[in-house]
Amino acid sequence: MNTFGRIYRITTFGESHGVGIGGVIDGIPAGLDVDLEYIQKELNRRRPGQSNITTGRNEADRIEILSGTFEGKTTGCPIGFIVRNSDQHSNDYDNMRNLFRPSHADFTYQQKYGIRDHRGGGRSSARITISRVVAGAFAKMALRKMGIEIYAYTSQVGGIATDFDYTKYDPAVIESNPVRCPDREIAKQMEELIKEVKADGDTIGGTVTCVIKGCPVGIGEPEFGKLHQMLGSAMLSINAAKGFEYGMGFHGLELRGSEQNDLYKQQADRLGATLTNNSGGIQGGISNGEDIYFRVAFKPVATQLKEQETIDVNGCPTTLKAKGRHDPCVLPRAVPIVEAMAAITLYDNILLNNSKKI
C-alpha cells in the first residue's frame, strides 16, 4: 500500500535516513503549467528546522523532477521526483537498535516484517510525507485552475484552541506565525506552550482544521466512495493522526435535528445554497457546493527526550532516553500535509467524476 489514489495516483518511496524521499505521480493530464517555485514553497512549509518549535534537523528539501515535464508543462507521462536526505544523524539512534520505543511503530514493524530500520523510524518516519506534499502541490496547481482553494491551520494545541467557526478567521494570517494559527493572540499562547513542553523534553498534540472552498456540486461516489469517507481515509493515513471529523462532527451531538439541519435559501443565487453549513459541504457522501471543512486530531509525538520504561527485542524490561532531533508538536508542520492530502483526494475524485461524463 505505497500507492494512494485511483486516477490521480502517488506512489512513494524512501526512508528517513536513506538516500532520499521520492515518488511517482500518475494520472495528471498533459499541459498543466508546472510552477517549481510554488512546489518548493510547499516543501519549505513542511521542512524541518524552520523555527525554534520544530525539529532542528537541517534539510533543504530541494526537489528534483526526474520525468514527466517538458518546457514548464506536464506531458501526461508519470512525474518522477526525489528529495535527497543530507542531514542524517543516524548515530543518534544507535541506542534504539534493540529497543522498542513506546507508542511508536518499532514493535509492529518488527513483528510484521522481521526487520526494521531503527534510524529515525525508517519508513514509518513522518519524513516520508515529503512525497505527499509534492503530489499535493501538483494537485493544487490543477485545482486552482478550477477556482478551488484549500487551506489548513492549527486550531488547537493541548488545551488552547481557536473558535470552532473557521469563517471568523482570515487565512492570510496563517503563515504569519510559526504555529500556523490564524488567531495571532492564540498563536502566541500555543507557541509558548510548545516551547514549555519542548524545554521539559516532552511533546504535545492538537488539531488541524482544513477548509476547501469552490468545490463543485456532485463530487463523491456512494456507496463506498463517499467524499468524506475518502477524505477521512486520506487524513488518517498521515503519521500521528488519531481522529477525523467533518462539518459539525462531534460538536453537533448535543443539537436536535431541527437545530442542525441546513435549510435551503429561498431565491438564492445558486440552486441548493443553504442558510447554514453544519453538514460541512457534503451530504449523502456528495459535495453540495458549500465550503467543505473538517478537523484532524494529532497525538503527541511518540519519541520523548524523557527517560521511559520499555522492553528490548527479547522482551526484557529496560529504559530508554531518546536522542536526536524531534518535533515537540507536529501541528505546525502537519498543516501543509493535511492540505496536500485534501488536494490529492479532491482532485482524484474530480477526475473520477469527469471520467463518467465521457
Side-chain angles (χ1 to χ4, degrees):
M1 296 299 291
N2 296 302
T3 300
F4 182 85
R6 294 165 292 182
I7 293 181
Y8 183 69
R9 300 185 302 277
I10 171 67
T11 300
T12 73
F13 66 83
E15 298 85 29
S16 178
H17 286 231
V19 173
I21 310 294
V24 176
I25 302 170
D26 204 358
I28 196 164
L32 177 70
D33 291 326
V34 178
D35 187 344
L36 284 175
E37 184 177 339
Y38 172 73
I39 297 171
Q40 188 59 56
K41 181 180 177 182
E42 291 294 277
L43 281 171
N44 292 345
R45 295 172 67 212
R46 195 225 68 94
R47 69 179 289 271
Q50 57 185 275
S51 76
N52 61 359
I53 59 171
T54 63
T55 172
R57 182 168 175 171
N58 185 22
E59 295 279 4
D61 285 355
R62 304 301 299 183
I63 186 170
E64 299 176 40
I65 302 293
L66 306 176
S67 65
T69 67
F70 180 69
E71 295 184 341
K73 293 183 181 293
T74 58
T75 63
C77 298
I79 297 171
F81 64 90
I82 189 171
V83 173
R84 299 182 188 276
N85 295 326
S86 62
D87 189 36
Q88 309 98 311
H89 288 184
S90 299
N91 291 338
D92 287 344
Y93 296 88
D94 284 349
N95 66 327
M96 303 180 194
R97 178 184 291 272
N98 296 312
L99 302 179
F100 297 133
R101 288 172 292 176
S103 290
H104 217 291
D106 298 348
F107 173 73
T108 51
Y109 266 59
Q110 184 74 42
Q111 294 302 108
K112 181 176 177 65
Y113 299 108
I115 188 173
R116 66 182 171 92
D117 184 348
H118 67 282
R119 305 165 305 166
R123 184 69 173 160
S124 69
S125 170
R127 184 155 177 76
I128 65 169
T129 58
I130 283 173
S131 301
R132 301 169 184 234
V133 173
V134 174
F138 273 95
K140 280 184 177 181
M141 288 188 291
L143 292 171
R144 280 189 311 195
K145 297 184 69 174
M146 304 176 193
I148 299 172
E149 175 191 6
I150 299 175
Y151 67 88
Y153 59 89
T154 299
S155 50
Q156 183 169 348
V157 174
I160 302 172
T162 60
D163 193 286
F164 179 79
D165 185 0
Y166 71 91
T167 64
K168 293 183 178 181
Y169 298 110
D170 179 1
V173 177
I174 295 170
E175 295 295 321
S176 69
N177 59 78
V179 187
R180 294 199 165 93
C181 173
D183 186 311
R184 289 188 173 89
E185 289 304 313
I186 291 180
K188 291 178 183 178
Q189 297 175 38
M190 290 176 172
E191 185 175 358
E192 288 306 309
L193 176 58
I194 295 173
K195 288 179 179 178
E196 178 184 324
V197 167
K198 181 181 180 180
D200 197 32
D202 216 328
T203 59
I204 197 164
T207 63
V208 169
T209 293
C210 186
V211 181
I212 302 173
K213 303 181 78 68
C215 179
V217 179
I219 306 303
E221 302 295 324
E223 168 69 0
F224 298 110
K226 294 180 172 71
L227 184 55
H228 61 269
Q229 169 200 338
M230 304 307 289
L231 286 168
S233 175
M235 298 307 143
L236 292 174
S237 74
I238 301 173
N239 306 58
K242 284 293 184 179
F244 171 84
E245 62 174 349
Y246 75 102
M248 286 294 288
F250 293 110
H251 286 73
L253 296 181
E254 297 180 4
L255 300 179
R256 300 189 178 189
S258 57
E259 298 173 294
Q260 190 165 172
N261 282 354
D262 294 316
L263 304 183
Y264 292 106
K265 291 181 180 179
Q266 304 298 316
Q267 299 178 340
D269 56 355
R270 176 177 62 80
L271 181 64
T274 56
L275 294 170
T276 56
N277 187 21
N278 296 326
S279 299
I282 302 171
Q283 292 171 330
I286 302 171
S287 61
N288 66 1
E290 301 292 336
D291 290 350
I292 295 170
Y293 64 97
F294 58 86
R295 286 158 303 284
V296 188
F298 289 89
K299 71 172 184 175
V301 175
T303 303
Q304 302 281 299
L305 297 183
K306 288 185 170 186
E307 189 170 272
Q308 296 184 94
E309 294 182 357
T310 186
I311 58 172
D312 63 21
V313 293
N314 297 312
C316 299
T318 185
T319 58
L320 167 67
K321 184 172 177 60
K323 301 177 183 179
R325 301 156 296 176
H326 308 281
D327 286 290
C329 178
V330 301
L331 276 301
R333 295 175 63 211
V335 166
I337 303 168
V338 168
E339 290 180 6
M341 292 307 294
I344 294 169
T345 303
L346 184 60
Y347 188 46
D348 183 43
N349 275 270
I350 288 175
L351 290 177
L352 183 63
N353 192 67
N354 291 344
S355 72
K356 296 185 176 184
K357 299 177 180 179
I358 297 175

